[in-house]
Amino acid sequence: MFIQLRSRICQCFKYFFQNQNTRGDDMTSNNPIRAKITKVKGVYRIDTIKLGVGDTVIWMSDDTDFKIWFPPGRDPLSIRESRRVKKGQDFRRTVPGSATESFENNMFEMNTDSTEEKYQYSIFCYENNKFAEGNSMAEIIIRR
């Protein structure tokens, strides 16, 4: 009975963490991270995304078409400028497999002394012709 209870608790935690759009310190899972663009009081918002090597992020919105931009030379997912993503659809990218892997012509150098890199990016929302807001600028944190 204890084993069945333990198994059920593990399943509940697994379900909970699979359905979060950010993750904490345990960066070992390759489950996709869902980053939902939500409308709060007329303003589109996006939370900080925490990813590990090999993780996939899935951006989505049920309310607006959107487009993602990373600054030149600071694009860890080789997006540069995404296509227009229609509301209800998603846009996916996977963190490259190692810190030394080439990021498709990106010119930035990774800080190899740090286990965490922060990248700011923008999400343009077509419904109100404004950028989504985060805690500050939209941010992805990648742990190596």
Side-chain angles (χ1 to χ4, degrees):
M1 181 164 156
F2 174 73
I3 294 172
Q4 290 174 335
L5 178 61
R6 184 176 143 205
S7 176
R8 182 68 182 140
I9 290 170
C10 289
Q11 288 175 345
C12 289
F13 276 106
K14 182 178 177 183
Y15 174 81
F16 174 77
F17 285 110
Q18 282 179 342
N19 291 293
Q20 298 298 306
N21 64 347
T22 59
R23 286 223 310 265
D25 292 334
D26 180 15
M27 305 303 283
T28 59
S29 174
N30 287 329
N31 293 321
I33 307 304
R34 298 185 193 319
K36 188 156 187 166
I37 303 161
T38 57
K39 191 172 188 178
V40 178
K41 296 182 182 176
V43 176
Y44 286 101
R45 301 203 40 89
I46 187 76
D47 291 330
T48 297
I49 303 167
K50 293 185 179 184
L51 301 170
V53 172
D55 282 344
T56 298
V57 60
I58 303 171
W59 284 276
M60 66 193 86
S61 175
D62 294 330
D63 302 314
T64 184
D65 293 2
F66 64 94
K67 185 179 266 196
I68 299 171
W69 283 283
F70 276 84
R74 291 292 297 163
D75 183 358
L77 304 175
S78 299
I79 294 173
R80 290 180 195 85
E81 180 180 328
S82 73
R83 61 179 167 74
R84 182 175 182 160
V85 181
K86 299 287 187 183
K87 65 181 171 182
Q89 296 181 352
D90 63 48
F91 183 77
R92 301 168 184 244
R93 280 295 186 268
T94 300
V95 177
S98 73
T100 58
E101 185 174 333
S102 169
F103 291 122
E104 294 182 19
N105 301 320
N106 278 320
M107 297 176 284
F108 73 91
E109 292 182 18
M110 299 218 34
N111 179 358
T112 56
D113 296 333
S114 175
T115 59
E116 188 173 280
E117 291 285 329
K118 294 184 180 184
Y119 302 92
Q120 294 183 333
Y121 67 102
S122 299
I123 297 177
F124 182 78
C125 301
Y126 285 92
E127 189 265 333
N128 64 356
N129 290 321
K130 293 185 179 179
F131 289 94
E133 297 177 5
N135 293 335
S136 57
M137 188 172 196
E139 187 173 63
I140 285 183
I141 298 173
I142 298 178
R143 295 195 176 175
R144 304 271 172 202

